[in-house]
């Protein structure tokens, strides 16, 4: 193997830059050239890349986002797009491609692997933590900490004004971010798409808390649960408690990666380059029970990571 490619695709996540830096430096130490394709899969459609060297990836370990830029690229989902990308890889003699992104990006890599000789390896990087085969994705820890520090501030207002705040966090269709954030801020209620929580149950909890003298409260809701504004209004109407909604939004996606996200990026990069050097493709690296492992790409695309429901129980016990 002489040349490998790197691409960041889908939603940006803090630690993507740390992964690009680590891949480049590890690959160079093994005598490999690294091409960084720009703007997600679009860079493979248009043959747009930067030659990455240990020097030009300096000074980015602490930066959020991705120096290679990223976008969602619907053209890539068409057969002509995948063929074009395969041609770009062949044209540049790219023998291995490391895809840094989420499950959508890996589905793209799987399609591409069917048309190209290039070996594909995925590095899970998304704040949603919704990738099968890894306990944690690059960027997740950073997003959890960002959301926690915002909600700690919101709690000050909640307590001072004796209000209930329903705080919406990201996560797309999954509740990994909401669950970990919810436990970490001591939320009174956590709403996740995986666990249908009836409005009556939330109302009963709020009423019971008021009876116990707990007049302020934080409800952490995953964006995937639906209209949090309507849920908040209904709680206010049925309990008489003052309810406000706060959507944390894009502030959760950016920012300097935590040490944990940077470490994970380095460990995943090492594993990804090692796999390519051993001529192993169609793998996605991951962290399972403390060990760095890899899973078959197709399995990663087809299977859904379960949410740990024991954590929901823990959250309930901690919220009394
Ligand atoms: P993420 O990788 O963070 O999950 P997306 O789901 O938006 O982000 O996927 C990123 C890109 O991967 C998409 O814009 C598209 O180019 C490609 N992609 C997503 N799903 C598929 C699919 N089923 N087949 C081929 N390519 C896909």
């Amino acid at each position: 193997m002489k040349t490998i490619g790197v691409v960041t695709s889908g939603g940006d996540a803090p630690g993507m830059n740390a992964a690009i830096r680590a891949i480049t430096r590890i690959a160079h130490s093994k005598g490999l050239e690294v091409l960084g394709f720009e703007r997600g899969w679009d860079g493979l459609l248009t043959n747009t890349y930067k030659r990455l060297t240990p020097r030009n990836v300096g000074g980015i370990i602490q930066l959020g986002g991705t120096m290679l830029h990223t976008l969602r690229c619907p053209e890539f989902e068409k057969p002509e797009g995948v063929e074009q990308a395969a041609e770009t890889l062949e044209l540049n003699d790219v023998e291995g491609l490391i895809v840094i992104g989420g499950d959508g990006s890996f589905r793209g890599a799987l399609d591409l692997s069917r048309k190209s000789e290039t070996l594909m390896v995925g590095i899970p990087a998304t704040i949603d933590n919704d990738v099968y085969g890894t306990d944690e994705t690059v960027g997740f820890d950073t997003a959890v900490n960002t959301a926690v520090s915002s909600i700690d501030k919101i709690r000050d207002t909640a307590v001072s004004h004796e209000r209930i705040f329903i705080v919406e966090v990201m996560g797309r269709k999954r509740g990994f971010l909401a669950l970990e954030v919810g436990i970490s801020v001591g939320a009174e209620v956590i709403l996740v798409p995986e666990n249908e929580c009836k409005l009556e149950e939330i109302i009963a909890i709020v009423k019971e808390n008021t009876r116990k003298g707990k007049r302020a409260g934080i409800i952490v809701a995953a964006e995937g649960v639906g209209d949090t504004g309507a849920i908040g209004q209904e709680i206010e109407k049925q309990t008489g408690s003052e309810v406000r909604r706060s959507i944390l939004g894009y502030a959760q996606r950016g920012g300097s990666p935590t040490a944990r996200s940077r470490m994970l990026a380095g460990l995943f990069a090492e594993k990804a380059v090692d796999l390519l050097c051993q001529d192993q493709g169609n793998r996605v690296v991951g962290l399972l029970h403390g060990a760095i492992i890899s899973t078959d790409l197709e399995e990663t695309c087809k299977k859904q990571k379960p949410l740990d429901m024991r954590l929901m129980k823990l959250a309930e016990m901690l919220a009394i």
Side-chain angles (χ1 to χ4, degrees), residues 8-12 16 40-42 45 70-78 82 99-112 125-128 130-131 172:
T8 50
S9 162
D12 68 314
M16 280 183 160
W41 291 122
D42 188 65
L45 299 185
T70 182
L71 49 67
R72 301 207 198 269
C73 180
E75 296 80 29
F76 184 73
E77 294 180 43
K78 298 179 192 146
V82 176
V99 180
I100 306 171
D103 54 349
S105 303
F106 298 154
R107 273 190 279 279
L110 183 63
D111 281 0
L112 185 52
T126 159
I127 65 159
D128 305 330
D130 58 348
V131 177
R172 294 178 92 178

Side-chain angles (χ1 to χ4, degrees), residues 146-162:
T146 302
V148 165
S149 59
S150 300
I151 298 174
D152 284 347
K153 294 181 181 93
I154 291 172
R155 195 183 269 283
D156 289 346
T157 304
V159 171
S160 304
H161 287 263
E162 299 187 308

